[in-house]
Amino acid sequence: MKHQSYSIHNYQNIDQFSKFSKEQREAIEVVSKVFPFKTNNYVTDKLIDWDNFEDDPMFILNFPQKDMLQDNHYNQMLDLIRRGADKKEVYSLANDIRRQLNPHPAGQESNVPFLNGEKLLGIQHKYKETVLFFPTQGQTCHAYCTFCFRWPQFTNMDELKFAMKQSNLLTEYLENNQSVSDLLITGGDPMVMNINNLKAYIEPILNSHSHNLNTIRIGTKSLSFWPDRFINDKDSEDVLRLFEKVSKSGLQLALMAHINHPRELSTKAVQEAIRRIRNTGVQIRTQSPLLNHINNKPELWSRMWRHQVALGLIPYYMFIARDTGAQHYFGTSLKKSIQIFSRAYSQVSGLARTVRGPSMSADPGKVQIAGVTKIRNQKVFVLNFLQGRNPDWVNKPFFAEYDENAKWLDELVPFEDDRFFFEDEFDEIKEKQDKKIVRIDNYKTTA
Ligand code: SF4
C-alpha cells in the first residue's frame, strides 16, 4: 500500500469526503486548530466503517470531534474563522485554549533530568528503573489519535516539545545511571523513523557495555495505524533485522503497542506484521486508555484481550484517560472504569490477566483503582501504586472516599485522613525537583 497522509489541508481528497455534512466539516476545521489532526489511507480504507462513520470508534479515534472542545472554546474559534481572522490571531487563541487544557499532565516537565549540569530535554526519568527517550525524528505519528495525551508534541508550541538529537547523551546518561534497567523510546511514534535514525539511536546502546539495561521498549501505534511499516515499506526488512540484532545481543526488545479497539487487530496486514515482528524474537505488549465513544464497553475489552493473546501479544495496561486535552469528552469516571475493567477481566483466561488497571498515570505515580469496598459501612475506593516516584509506595493499598463522578486522583478525598499517606513525601520530592535536585538514584543526585 502506498502511504498517503491526510491533514486539514487535504482530507478533502479522501474517497469518502462527500459523506461529510457541512457541520462535520466545520467541526473538523475548528477543532483541528487546537488539536492535531492527521490520518492516512490505511486508517480510512481499512479501519473506518463508513456506513456508520459518525458513531464509528475508528472515525472518532482519528477525526476531530466537535465536543472535544468546550462550547465556549469552540465558539470563540468558530467566530475567528468566520470573520476571516489572520493566522496570527487564530494561532494565539489556539495557544490560549491549549494552555487551559493542562498540556503537561502528571508534572512531565519535572521529570527532565540533568547530565553534567545540562538539562536533557529529550529524556524523562520519573521512575528509578525506567528512562523515557524522545528522539527528535520520532515526534510524529502515522496518524494522530484524537484522545492523545501527548497532543502538544504535535502542535507548534515549541516550548512544549520534548526532544533530543544526541544519542551519545542518551548512552552517557544510561551509563551514569546504573539503576536504569528499562529504556522506553517514545514519541510521537518512534517507528515513523527510518532505519538510519533507528540504528543511530539503538546501536550505540548495543555497543556500550557500561549501562545496566535489560530491556529496550519502543512505544508505537504503527502496528495498527500503519502495519506496512513491518511489511512493505522500503526499509521494513532492515527494521526487522535491527529487531533481530537487539534480540540476539542479549537485550530484550519489547514493542509497546497502542491498541484501542478490537477492530485494529482484524486486518490481514496487522496479523502479518505481528507474525513478522514475533519471528524476530521481539515481544509485543499492548496498552490503551479506556475511552468514552471508543472503547467503553467491557465486552469489547475482553474480546480485544482474547484476540491479543490468540495472536501472541501480551495485554499490559488499561489506563484511565489523562487529565489533559479533551478529557471531558473521552474520560470515564473512576467508578465506571473499575466496573468495566472488572467485568472484562472476569471474562478472559489467566493468560490475558497479565493486564493491569485501570491505572492513572498521575504525578506521584501510576495509581490503580483496585476496587470498591466498604469500611464500617462506608463505600470507599481501594487504590494502589503500580509505580511510584518513591518505589516504597508501591503495592500498599490505600483508601479514598467513594465519589461517583471523580475522574482523576486529584478529585479524590482520603478516607478518614487529612492527606493520602504519600503526600508529605511527594511534596518534599517536588520541592527538591524545583530546586533542581534531580531524583535519579534514591533522590541523591544533584544537578
Ligand atoms: S500514536 Fe500515540 S503518540 Fe501518536 S497520537 Fe496516538 S496516542 Fe498519541
Side-chain angles (χ1 to χ4, degrees):
M1 193 171 199
K2 190 164 179 295
H3 188 270
Q4 172 66 56
S5 197
Y6 298 110
S7 69
I8 189 64
H9 305 296
N10 70 345
Y11 84 103
Q12 298 79 0
N13 297 337
I14 64 174
D15 290 344
Q16 302 81 0
F17 180 70
S18 58
K19 293 181 184 247
F20 287 70
S21 66
K22 195 166 155 258
E23 290 73 27
Q24 279 163 336
R25 294 175 201 184
E26 176 194 276
I28 290 171
E29 190 180 354
V30 171
V31 178
S32 67
K33 292 279 187 281
V34 176
F35 293 115
F37 167 41
K38 178 161 86 172
T39 187
N40 68 48
N41 52 328
Y42 175 80
V43 176
T44 57
D45 295 355
K46 305 286 183 192
L47 294 184
I48 294 174
D49 172 6
W50 288 101
D51 290 336
N52 175 35
F53 74 100
E54 285 96 338
D55 299 319
D56 185 63
M58 292 294 102
F59 178 75
I60 296 171
L61 180 63
N62 237 216
F63 284 79
Q65 304 294 308
K66 182 168 193 265
D67 292 337
M68 284 170 57
L69 285 181
Q70 310 273 10
D71 285 351
N72 59 331
H73 290 156
Y74 188 92
N75 291 331
Q76 283 171 333
M77 186 56 83
L78 179 61
D79 227 39
L80 282 198
I81 293 171
R82 281 200 175 142
R83 69 176 166 77
D86 62 22
K87 271 189 180 165
K88 211 171 147 199
E89 208 177 340
V90 170
Y91 182 69
S92 159
L93 175 64
N95 274 352
D96 269 2
I97 296 172
R98 289 168 184 154
R99 283 192 197 94
Q100 294 172 51
L101 299 175
N102 190 22
H104 269 336
Q108 290 178 74
E109 68 280 22
S110 65
N111 303 332
V112 177
F114 289 75
L115 181 71
N116 306 327
E118 190 183 335
K119 200 171 185 183
L120 301 179
L121 287 175
I123 290 182
Q124 287 184 31
H125 192 177
K126 179 171 178 180
Y127 306 122
K128 197 169 138 189
E129 300 82 7
T130 308
V131 156
L132 273 61
F133 178 61
F134 297 76
T136 307
Q137 301 87 345
Q139 299 314 303
T140 182
C141 306
H142 289 103
Y144 292 142
C145 312
T146 38
F147 70 82
C148 180
F149 81 91
R150 295 234 169 100
W151 57 273
Q153 305 270 109
F154 317 124
T155 65
N156 290 324
M157 298 178 84
D158 285 343
E159 76 271 24
L160 297 179
K161 279 192 182 174
F162 289 115
M164 187 169 77
K165 274 197 181 119
Q166 302 96 322
S167 58
N168 55 340
L169 279 180
L170 169 65
T171 313
E172 197 183 337
Y173 186 78
L174 294 173
E175 290 171 351
N176 274 275
N177 288 274
Q178 293 288 312
S179 64
V180 177
S181 59
D182 291 52
L183 168 68
L184 170 59
I185 304 177
T186 186
D189 187 338
M191 292 312 304
V192 299
M193 291 195 287
N194 65 30
I195 184 64
N196 292 333
N197 287 324
L198 285 166
K199 279 184 174 172
Y201 289 115
I202 292 174
E203 286 187 337
I205 296 167
L206 301 187
N207 296 335
S208 158
H209 299 288
S210 312
H211 58 66
N212 213 13
L213 279 189
N214 294 329
T215 304
I216 299 175
R217 309 183 203 171
I218 300 179
T220 185
K221 179 85 185 163
S222 52
L223 201 53
S224 51
F225 271 0
W226 190 250
D228 262 0
R229 185 71 196 94
F230 308 98
I231 309 173
N232 288 319
D233 280 1
K234 66 177 188 299
D235 58 358
S236 295
E237 285 303 321
D238 298 328
V239 167
L240 296 172
R241 297 296 76 78
L242 178 64
F243 284 4
E244 234 164 43
K245 188 173 175 183
V246 181
S247 299
K248 285 184 179 156
S249 77
L251 282 178
Q252 298 297 318
L253 180 59
L255 281 201
M256 314 308 288
H258 297 224
I259 297 172
N260 310 114
H261 191 278
R263 198 183 305 154
E264 293 169 61
L265 297 168
S266 66
T267 70
K268 282 202 175 97
V270 76
Q271 292 172 14
E272 173 63 9
I274 290 169
R275 195 186 63 76
R276 285 169 168 243
I277 294 166
R278 293 192 68 230
N279 279 346
T280 67
V282 166
Q283 278 190 340
I284 306 173
R285 292 178 186 266
T286 62
Q287 56 193 39
S288 169
L290 175 59
L291 301 159
N292 268 335
H293 310 285
I294 292 178
N295 63 18
N296 61 350
K297 294 190 177 62
E299 287 67 30
L300 196 145
W301 281 86
S302 52
R303 183 152 46 98
M304 183 160 73
W305 291 333
R306 276 196 297 266
H307 199 176
Q308 287 170 4
V309 171
L311 293 170
L313 317 185
I314 305 168
Y316 186 47
Y317 265 119
M318 176 201 270
F319 290 114
I320 290 171
R322 290 203 193 199
D323 53 340
T324 179
Q327 188 206 21
H328 62 275
Y329 180 73
F330 291 112
T332 50
S333 66
L334 302 180
K335 169 195 154 189
K336 194 162 177 206
S337 304
I338 184 63
Q339 283 171 349
I340 290 175
F341 181 88
S342 304
R343 175 116 186 95
Y345 196 78
S346 73
Q347 293 172 349
V348 294
S349 82
L351 284 188
R353 291 187 186 169
T354 46
V355 70
R356 298 180 298 175
S359 170
M360 291 175 271
S361 295
D363 202 348
K366 284 198 174 72
V367 179
Q368 177 192 27
I369 314 292
V372 174
T373 190
K374 277 189 176 172
I375 300 178
R376 286 185 286 286
N377 245 351
Q378 208 178 315
K379 237 176 170 183
V380 293
F381 282 121
V382 185
L383 307 169
N384 182 38
F385 275 98
L386 298 172
Q387 270 287 17
R389 282 192 187 268
N390 180 347
D392 293 345
W393 300 343
V394 172
N395 223 14
K396 288 184 180 156
F398 60 106
F399 304 101
E401 287 179 12
Y402 185 74
D403 178 339
E404 291 226 319
N405 301 314
K407 284 183 170 174
W408 201 249
L409 184 63
D410 60 6
E411 296 166 48
L412 294 178
V413 174
F415 176 69
E416 290 186 348
D417 219 337
D418 295 337
R419 309 197 83 195
F420 288 120
F421 79 91
F422 59 87
E423 284 187 287
D424 290 345
E425 201 180 347
F426 177 56
D427 287 348
E428 281 172 32
I429 293 169
K430 297 300 279 186
E431 201 181 319
K432 284 182 186 172
Q433 285 176 332
D434 288 346
K435 288 183 188 156
K436 294 197 170 46
I437 299 171
V438 182
R439 181 194 66 81
I440 295 170
D441 282 312
N442 293 328
Y443 320 117
K444 283 182 193 142
T445 309
T446 53

